[in-house]
Amino acid sequence: MAFILDGKRISMEIKDELKEKAALLKERGIEGALAVIQVGADPASTVYVRNKKNACAYIGIESQAYELPEQTSQEELLALIERLNQEPRVRGILVQLPLPKHIDEEAVLLAISPEKDVDGFHPQSVGAMVIGKDGFLPCTPAGVIQLLKRSGIAIAGKHCVVIGRSNIVGKPMSLLMLRENATVTIAHSKTADLKALCKTADILIVAIGRPQFVTAEYVKEGAVVVDVGIHRNPDNKLCGDVKFDEVEPLASAITPVPGGVGPMTIAMLMHNCVESIEKLEG
Ligand code: GUN
């Protein structure tokens, strides 16, 4: 029986800490808002955005919702971001991805002021992370680190294999594990003999974006398995990138889906927002 890495419980623990911190800041007159921008009505994005707004309400920080129609032009979106960059009350700006195809995602992320970049997607934030300088860390990888640490999983010296190389998860995940002194291998769909490589991992982090891709054949006995994926299976039930029932008996610890990495992402977004509000003090 593997130990369950309980993201639901640990994210609540973090949110309760942040709620307390936000209340103390408010008592001293320090407060701010998170602006959440969604373009179009992608159903998954709508759920994520709703969860982010609910988390703000729980912590006690203001959220401002900008729900823009699918046909919004890039210029209109950039103008909104510029206005929010200038608005002192707004301490965090988040543009939900993916954006409609006619909008250049890179240009949009570049337009967000790095001091309000609570998603950690701006090239300046990414660069700061690479060289270990201060800046907002991307929420999903930072959430995985917190989940491991607060579950008592040792990272230093371990061989970590990350499957996936996206800018949002795989690449930053690898860098943050490296920062924790893991020995890191980045693998992906084109990696030769992926199964054999994954079987050498002490910590296997799966962000390949394919439902139930990782089976028992990929996992060494006693490995820690972190599943970043979230999908709906043919029965409309949520599942991850890992075949949980098959892998769980082999692993020493594993994240469930749902209730693993997902809630940690939101908790880390709230962490970044509170940090940004706190910086108002300076
Ligand atoms: N789409 C999927 N994950 C994320 C995320 O962490 N932030 C934003 N803005 N969009 C996403």
Side-chain angles (χ1 to χ4, degrees):
M1 278 280 285
F3 178 77
I4 298 297
L5 300 166
D6 189 349
K8 200 170 164 187
R9 181 183 63 76
I10 293 174
S11 68
M12 275 311 290
E13 190 179 292
I14 294 173
K15 284 192 288 183
D16 284 335
E17 291 165 12
L18 292 169
K19 186 177 183 169
E20 210 167 294
K21 200 166 183 181
L24 289 172
L25 288 169
K26 209 178 241 179
E27 272 175 21
R28 292 157 57 201
I30 301 159
E31 49 187 319
L34 168 68
V36 181
I37 305 171
Q38 183 182 357
V39 186
D42 173 65
S45 290
T46 301
V47 173
Y48 295 140
V49 164
R50 190 196 308 137
N51 290 342
K52 290 170 186 179
K53 288 189 277 194
N54 289 344
C56 284
Y58 182 81
I59 307 274
I61 62 182
E62 183 192 332
S63 65
Q64 299 179 357
Y66 296 89
E67 281 144 21
L68 309 180
E70 177 86 20
Q71 61 275 19
T72 301
S73 70
Q74 183 166 317
E75 290 65 35
E76 286 169 310
L77 178 57
L78 292 176
L80 171 61
I81 292 171
E82 194 40 46
R83 183 159 69 73
L84 296 169
N85 280 341
Q86 302 299 330
E87 173 57 54
R89 184 165 182 80
V90 171
R91 296 304 302 166
I93 303 171
L94 181 156
V95 178
Q96 188 63 32
L97 303 177
L99 285 166
K101 287 197 170 48
H102 65 276
I103 298 178
D104 176 2
E105 187 178 294
E106 211 177 303
V108 169
L109 297 180
L110 197 59
I112 297 171
S113 165
E115 61 169 12
K116 301 188 179 187
D117 176 37
V118 286
D119 254 335
F121 293 166
H122 189 284
Q124 187 176 310
S125 308
V126 177
M129 176 189 58
V130 173
I131 59 171
K133 295 285 178 201
D134 277 352
F136 293 115
L137 296 178
C139 303
T140 298
V144 170
I145 299 286
Q146 281 300 310
L147 183 57
L148 293 173
K149 284 188 166 178
R150 289 180 183 238
S151 303
I153 306 285
I155 302 175
K158 298 287 173 65
H159 181 211
C160 175
V161 174
V162 178
I163 321 180
R165 53 177 159 177
S166 71
N167 289 339
I168 292 183
V169 184
K171 282 184 211 164
M173 188 73 252
S174 313
L175 285 160
L176 293 187
M177 288 303 276
L178 185 62
R179 192 189 269 197
E180 297 298 329
N181 298 312
T183 302
V184 182
T185 305
I186 309 175
H188 45 81
S189 56
K190 295 192 174 58
T191 296
D193 207 353
L194 184 60
K195 279 181 192 167
L197 174 70
C198 291
K199 248 189 180 316
T200 68
D202 303 312
I203 302 175
L204 181 62
I205 302 181
V206 191
I208 196 166
R210 295 190 193 168
Q212 302 189 310
F213 178 84
V214 165
T215 58
E217 292 174 286
Y218 288 74
V219 179
K220 176 170 79 176
E221 184 149 11
V224 173
V225 180
V226 176
D227 188 349
V228 182
I230 184 141
H231 315 275
R232 291 223 173 252
N233 72 12
D235 304 330
N236 208 32
K237 275 182 61 181
L238 291 173
C239 67
D241 288 354
V242 174
K243 239 184 191 156
F244 183 92
D245 293 344
E246 200 176 306
V247 169
E248 184 273 337
L250 264 176
S252 62
I254 188 168
T255 57
V257 175
V261 175
M264 293 301 296
T265 297
I266 306 237
M268 297 320 289
L269 173 67
M270 294 301 108
H271 167 88
N272 285 350
C273 289
V274 173
E275 190 175 288
S276 188
I277 290 168
E278 204 174 9
K279 281 196 187 136
L280 272 179
E281 226 177 347

